């Protein structure tokens, strides 16, 4: 099966940058979608960005122009480069992998942006 390990979260000041990483391991077929979600207490988990195996990307309106998702298929790793961070970006960020209509989730990594 699939396991996802996330890293890169932390505390930054507004305007700063972070790069999140999510490494997938296990029995992974070559065609899969990887996504980043985020969630704050009391709110629904929201899609931040997604990327297909072919490299097509999509972003939430709130992060367009500031965040960039990418993947390294050889390493089974997806990244989220976050620039110009705002306080409202504070959340737990979760990596998601969709494989054969089954969703796998990472443990989450906390991002805190101070004002």
């Amino acid at each position: 099966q699939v396991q996802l390990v996330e890293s890169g979260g932390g505390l930054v000041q507004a305007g700063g940058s972070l790069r999140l990483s999510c490494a997938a391991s296990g029995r992974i077929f070559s065609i899969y979608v990887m996504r980043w979600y985020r969630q704050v207490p009391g709110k629904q988990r929201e899609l931040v960005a997604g990327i297909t195996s072919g490299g097509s990307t999509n972003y939430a309106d709130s992060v367009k122009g500031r965040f960039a998702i990418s993947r390294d298929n050889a390493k089974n790793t997806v990244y989220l480069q976050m620039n110009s961070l705002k306080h409202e970006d504070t959340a737990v960020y979760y990596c998601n992998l969709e494989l054969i209509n089954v969703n796998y989730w990472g443990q989450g990594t906390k991002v805190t942006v101070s004002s």
Side-chain angles (χ1 to χ4, degrees):
Q1 295 181 335
V2 177
Q3 296 82 41
L4 304 176
V5 179
E6 303 170 17
S7 62
L11 173 64
V12 299
Q13 289 191 329
S17 298
L18 284 174
R19 190 188 193 194
L20 307 183
S21 298
C22 174
S25 62
R27 299 179 182 271
I28 305 172
F29 191 66
S30 60
I31 303 176
Y32 55 91
V33 176
M34 298 190 77
R35 304 180 179 94
W36 287 98
Y37 286 77
R38 66 186 181 188
Q39 188 171 30
V40 299
K43 297 185 67 177
Q44 189 79 21
R45 188 173 298 184
E46 300 181 42
L47 176 66
V48 176
I51 185 167
T52 69
S53 58
S56 298
T57 61
N58 65 281
Y59 299 92
D61 289 340
S62 60
V63 306
K64 286 181 179 177
R66 299 188 297 119
F67 291 10
I69 188 171
S70 61
R71 65 192 293 166
D72 185 335
N73 289 332
K75 298 180 179 179
N76 290 324
T77 299
V78 64
Y79 306 94
L80 185 67
Q81 179 66 47
M82 304 185 294
N83 299 321
S84 301
L85 283 162
K86 305 174 181 179
H87 183 262
E88 49 264 45
D89 295 319
T90 296
V92 177
Y93 284 72
Y94 295 91
C95 178
N96 165 264
L97 185 152
E98 182 184 335
L99 177 65
I100 320 176
N101 295 319
V102 177
N103 285 282
Y104 300 87
W105 295 90
Q107 78 286 351
T109 185
K110 175 68 174 179
V111 172
T112 302
V113 184
S114 62
S115 59

